Amino acid sequence: MNILEKSRNVWERVYAVSYAQSLLEWDSETYMPEGAAKERGEVSAVLASIIQEEVLSQKVRSLLKEAEGGDDLYARGIARVLRRKLHYYDSLPPELIREMERVTNEAKVVWRNAKKKGDFKMFAPYLEKIVELSREKAEKLGYEGSPYNALLDLYEEGLTVDDVERMFSDLVPFLKRKVRELSGNWPSEHPLEEKEYDKEKMERLNHLVLDLLGFDRNYMRLDVSAHPFTVEMGLYDVRITTWYHGKDFRRSLMATVHEFGHALYERQVDPELRGTPVAGGVSLGIHESQSRFWENIIGRSRAFSDILAPLVREVLGIEVDGEELFRYLNIVRPSLIRVEADEVTYNLHIYLRFNIERSLIEGDLEVGEVPSVWNELMEELLGITPPDDSKGALQDIHWSIGSIGYFPTYSIGTLLAAQIKELIERDMGSLEDVIREKDFSRVREWLREKIHRWGSLYSPKELLSESLGITFSSEPFMRYIEEKYRW
Ligand code: MG
């Protein structure tokens, strides 16, 4: 039996429980009656502990040993992934994992109320506890340099504070300059933002656009949730969600296209890897590069606007041409809320969070100072100040669920999408032309070949060097912004 088959056998139970857990997660966010939340939470916790036990089992340890003895790509990939999983559970005492679980369960509820009231003080004691537990987690996991490195690595394998600093060093001054340049010269609002739409019609438009991109309904579905997301059960069942606000249709449309990018990645993993530890996307940053690629590089392109305009007129009954649609989809304005930020300002929001998280974990910042530092940085980076903490330090869910070290992956994905654009254009010429021909199968095939099929066989950095032949860089993104946002 080769190492792939062997690992599929050993991994069978982890795979099956993860499959069930993903389905429950999807259901919790879409169709579950609200009253079931507590019971569902208990069941989920049990499933999580079954996975932990399975990963720590003797048979997984011997599989790791065997994989470490091999030297082909499969053996190396399986060994790398298993080493990381075992290291995680071996290093973190079960009490620490349980304590984090307990604190974040409470913190989530407190955060929601604090956000409603714009009252950071309510949330502060919980964030203090979460920072403390995260620092303990970093100590247990081990790190070189900054303790924040241990947390970054949980979301983006091998990512360090130095990598993130390097990513932002030219980018931040460039973006600040770009925001100043564009103000007054580029649309900062559009009447379509206030235009109302009918939800059923919007749903039809979303489906038409997905059909165009290559959404395979035989293995994928689209539903509705409070926040759009993608979840894969296995290779043959990948689900996305979107949202409907009743106006400003780009929010629903772009969320749908974004999640399509995530879903396609999971769908195009080599079927040979199914059910093994190396099935599935390799990291959050690489995943986000796929969603950002479809959302921004394709979905917000001039050529795609021309394809969209007749659909918008026909389905939503909104009179708009390609040029107007392009402007509406690419409004640039400094805004307070990260999830609503445009391509030019988005990464500045991430830079702000990176600085705060890093200082908290390195012990240079007290939780009580977070709102004032937040507001100062907003003023410095974007020239605006939140009226209250609900539009400032309380806006994102991440800290309340203990996800510290997560934010930088959003920038990695956004920047990497522009690198991928340059690579694709090197191979097939102008992407605008490919889009105009509606030839998305060529793009899907390219992404499958270069990125998707590898699953987690390569680490994120290896994937870039071995399969794409590049190292991570913010230059292509700056070129892309420079080229696109000119008058
Ligand atoms: Mg995403």
Side-chain angles (χ1 to χ4, degrees):
M1 210 189 303
N2 68 30
I3 189 76
L4 214 49
E5 286 169 41
K6 178 85 185 281
S7 79
R8 197 175 295 115
N9 284 344
V10 171
W11 206 244
E12 192 178 56
R13 291 164 68 91
V14 178
Y15 166 67
V17 178
S18 306
Y19 188 112
Q21 212 177 18
S22 297
L23 191 52
L24 289 186
E25 187 196 316
W26 169 81
D27 177 69
S28 308
E29 303 294 327
T30 50
Y31 295 103
M32 182 186 78
E34 236 174 85
K38 190 166 176 292
E39 191 178 32
R40 179 64 57 90
E42 288 162 8
V43 170
S44 263
V46 175
L47 294 181
S49 72
I50 294 176
I51 291 180
Q52 180 174 352
E53 271 167 43
E54 278 297 315
V55 169
L56 290 172
S57 68
Q58 206 42 57
K59 55 184 188 189
V60 169
R61 289 182 197 278
S62 11
L63 175 65
L64 170 60
K65 240 198 191 103
E66 193 178 328
E68 280 177 331
D71 70 345
D72 62 3
L73 180 61
Y74 295 129
R76 284 201 306 273
I78 289 166
R80 198 190 86 256
V81 169
L82 291 183
R83 239 188 333 261
R84 280 175 61 77
K85 290 197 190 290
L86 278 163
H87 174 71
Y88 182 83
Y89 290 126
D90 279 337
S91 311
L92 298 183
E95 313 83 66
L96 180 58
I97 297 181
R98 263 201 304 276
E99 180 64 359
M100 193 57 136
E101 185 72 25
R102 194 189 63 75
V103 172
T104 52
N105 267 333
E106 256 179 74
K108 231 181 343 190
V109 180
V110 175
W111 165 75
R112 208 155 274 148
N113 287 324
K115 185 180 171 182
K116 247 180 240 156
K117 297 190 174 124
D119 184 358
F120 187 82
K121 282 199 180 69
M122 259 175 84
F123 179 57
Y126 290 86
L127 184 55
E128 264 162 32
K129 189 73 193 152
I130 287 166
V131 168
E132 190 189 306
L133 289 170
S134 301
R135 291 172 69 171
E136 200 180 326
K137 202 162 146 186
E139 291 307 322
K140 300 282 184 202
L141 289 167
Y143 54 83
E144 274 175 46
S146 168
Y148 189 51
N149 287 344
L151 304 178
L152 288 173
D153 176 73
L154 292 175
Y155 303 99
E156 192 68 17
E157 184 178 346
L159 186 71
T160 66
V161 163
D162 292 345
D163 293 331
V164 183
E165 287 283 2
R166 211 172 305 125
M167 164 168 91
F168 283 127
S169 64
D170 293 336
L171 184 65
V172 168
F174 167 81
L175 292 176
K176 283 169 72 175
R177 174 171 66 75
K178 208 66 206 166
V179 173
R180 274 199 310 273
E181 260 177 44
L182 291 173
S183 84
N185 296 315
W186 185 269
S188 63
E189 51 187 30
H190 198 282
L192 283 179
E193 290 177 89
E194 292 306 320
K195 191 87 185 161
E196 293 182 2
Y197 62 74
D198 174 80
K199 197 207 141 218
E200 270 77 47
K201 290 178 179 167
M202 187 65 225
E203 199 176 339
R204 226 186 104 215
L205 179 64
N206 280 333
H207 277 286
L208 285 173
V209 171
L210 285 175
D211 286 342
L212 197 65
L213 300 178
F215 186 78
D216 189 343
R217 245 171 274 284
N218 204 20
Y219 306 109
M220 294 163 148
R221 42 178 301 139
L222 171 69
D223 291 273
V224 184
S225 64
H227 287 274
F229 68 96
T230 298
V231 63
E232 78 284 0
M233 265 44 89
L235 186 62
Y236 299 102
D237 188 349
V238 186
R239 306 186 184 196
I240 66 174
T241 66
T242 190
W243 52 8
Y244 297 98
H245 307 88
K247 65 170 194 177
D248 201 5
F249 66 86
R250 66 185 175 151
R251 296 184 70 191
S252 178
L253 184 64
M254 287 298 117
T256 305
V257 176
H258 178 99
E259 299 307 329
F260 167 77
H262 282 302
L264 187 69
Y265 187 3
E266 292 297 333
R267 255 305 290 152
Q268 298 209 116
V269 169
D270 184 351
E272 264 216 306
L273 306 182
R274 199 180 74 87
T276 73
V278 286
V282 66
S283 72
L284 292 183
I286 305 287
H287 237 295
E288 195 67 6
S289 76
Q290 297 310 291
S291 54
R292 288 290 185 184
F293 177 81
W294 287 93
E295 178 195 352
N296 289 344
I297 308 283
I298 293 194
R300 295 182 203 273
S301 67
R302 183 64 188 79
F304 201 67
S305 289
D306 281 340
I307 298 176
L308 275 177
L311 293 175
V312 171
R313 287 197 298 268
E314 188 192 320
V315 180
L316 296 185
I318 295 176
E319 276 313 311
V320 68
D321 64 18
E323 181 61 27
E324 272 312 305
L325 194 54
F326 177 68
R327 291 180 194 197
Y328 164 60
L329 293 178
N330 292 287
I331 293 168
V332 174
R333 68 167 166 248
S335 60
L336 296 168
I337 308 296
R338 175 187 63 87
V339 294
E340 288 163 15
D342 55 82
E343 286 183 296
V344 180
T345 56
Y346 186 85
N347 291 298
L348 296 171
H349 291 263
I350 303 301
Y351 179 65
L352 175 150
R353 285 152 181 75
F354 161 69
N355 276 294
I356 291 178
E357 286 191 349
R358 179 191 178 171
S359 305
L360 283 172
I361 297 300
E362 291 182 352
D364 297 333
L365 179 68
E366 298 291 332
V367 164
E369 301 168 306
V370 167
S372 59
V373 171
W374 184 291
N375 295 352
E376 278 163 31
L377 281 169
M378 274 308 275
E379 192 56 51
E380 185 197 318
L381 294 166
L382 287 157
I384 46 177
T385 302
D388 60 67
D389 294 333
S390 65
K391 292 195 165 62
L394 287 171
Q395 64 180 267
D396 287 308
I397 192 173
H398 300 60
W399 293 340
S400 76
I401 56 172
S403 295
I404 296 182
Y406 188 126
F407 284 117
T409 67
Y410 290 129
S411 283
I412 291 179
T414 306
L415 270 47
L416 186 54
Q419 282 190 279
I420 291 169
K421 171 183 185 280
E422 289 195 352
L423 291 174
I424 290 186
E425 296 198 318
R426 194 191 58 194
D427 287 355
M428 48 178 111
S430 156
L431 198 55
E432 289 274 324
D433 293 343
V434 176
I435 296 169
R436 257 174 229 293
E437 287 156 26
K438 301 184 189 175
D439 200 356
F440 297 109
S441 67
R442 275 176 82 200
V443 180
R444 292 198 306 272
E445 269 316 303
W446 192 98
L447 294 170
R448 178 212 296 275
E449 177 67 24
K450 299 284 186 183
I451 299 171
H452 301 166
R453 70 181 170 114
W454 299 107
S456 306
L457 279 173
Y458 289 123
S459 74
K461 283 177 182 169
E462 283 168 353
L463 182 71
L464 297 197
S465 62
E466 300 304 307
S467 183
L468 296 172
I470 55 170
T471 52
F472 182 75
S473 163
S474 38
E475 300 277 328
F477 179 76
M478 293 192 274
R479 278 198 284 274
Y480 162 74
I481 293 292
E482 197 70 80
E483 203 178 295
K484 178 169 173 180
Y485 295 91
R486 57 172 83 231
W487 208 233

